[in-house]
Amino acid sequence: MGGSEKAMLKELEVIGYKYRDINEMFKQKIISSEAVAIILKWLPSVYADHLGAGDQLVRSLIAAGEPFDSTLLIDLIERPEFNFSIKGGMAIVLSYAKTNDISDWLRDQLLNKPYALERIGLIPGLEKKVALKHRMS
C-alpha cells in the first residue's frame, strides 16, 4: 500500500469511514459525497504511486451516492501519459457514475474526436447522460 493510499484512508477514517484498503472501498454499494470528495482529492497521488491502485480507486466512484464534479476525471482521461486501459476505466466511470452534467463533453468525445479505443467506455454514457433514445427496428 502506497503512502497516498494510506493518507487517503486515514483522512476517510477521520470522517467515519474505515477501510482496510482500496479494494474494500471498491466493493461498497454506495459511497457518500464526503468520501467521494476525499477520493477525488487523493486520486492523482494514488495514480502516481501505483496505476493499479488508482484504477481501482477511480472505479470505486461508480458507487457514488450523489452526483459529483467530474472535472478531475475528464482532465485525467485527457492526459497522454495514461494508456488506453487506464483511460478506459475512467471512461466507464464517466458513463455509469453519478456525475455532474457531462453531456456536451461526451457528445464532443464521441461525435467530433478521432477514434480512440479508450472512448469505447464512453458509449453507454450517450444514452444515459445525453439521452439519445435511438432504437433499431
Side-chain angles (χ1 to χ4, degrees), residues 54-127:
D55 187 51
Q56 191 167 28
L57 183 61
V58 78
R59 289 172 190 258
S60 72
L61 292 171
I62 290 175
E66 299 293 325
F68 63 90
D69 182 355
S70 58
T71 303
L72 174 65
L73 291 183
I74 289 171
D75 290 345
L76 289 172
I77 203 170
E78 293 179 349
R79 288 187 183 176
E81 67 264 23
F82 294 127
N83 65 30
F84 78 91
S85 178
I86 297 296
K87 290 180 178 187
M90 293 175 196
I92 289 167
V93 171
L94 287 167
S95 282
Y96 288 103
K98 293 178 181 176
T99 65
N100 59 334
D101 181 9
I102 61 169
S103 57
D104 289 339
W105 180 81
L106 271 172
R107 227 182 337 286
D108 183 53
Q109 289 294 306
L110 291 168
L111 303 175
N112 299 324
K113 301 285 184 182
Y115 173 81
L117 187 59
E118 60 266 14
R119 288 195 186 102
I120 291 171
L122 295 173
I123 293 171
L126 276 177
E127 184 173 357

Side-chain angles (χ1 to χ4, degrees), residues 6 31 128 130:
K6 286 179 186 176
I31 296 178
K128 185 175 179 185
V130 182

Side-chain angles (χ1 to χ4, degrees), residues 3-70:
S4 296
E5 181 178 350
K6 286 179 186 176
M8 179 191 66
L9 293 172
K10 189 165 196 76
E11 190 170 337
L12 285 165
E13 188 172 352
V14 167
I15 64 165
Y17 299 96
K18 186 169 176 128
Y19 302 108
R20 271 186 320 229
D21 54 26
I22 289 173
N23 185 47
E24 188 176 352
M25 291 177 67
F26 178 73
K27 294 176 182 177
Q28 299 301 301
K29 295 196 185 300
I30 296 177
I31 296 178
S32 73
S33 57
E34 297 86 8
V36 168
I38 292 170
I39 290 168
L40 291 171
K41 172 185 165 185
W42 286 99
L43 188 59
S45 298
V46 172
Y47 264 122
D49 286 353
H50 190 276
L51 278 177
D55 187 51
Q56 191 167 28
L57 183 61
V58 78
R59 289 172 190 258
S60 72
L61 292 171
I62 290 175
E66 299 293 325
F68 63 90
D69 182 355
S70 58

Side-chain angles (χ1 to χ4, degrees), residues 127 132-137:
E127 184 173 357
L132 294 178
K133 301 291 183 187
H134 177 72
R135 293 183 180 211
M136 303 292 281
S137 47

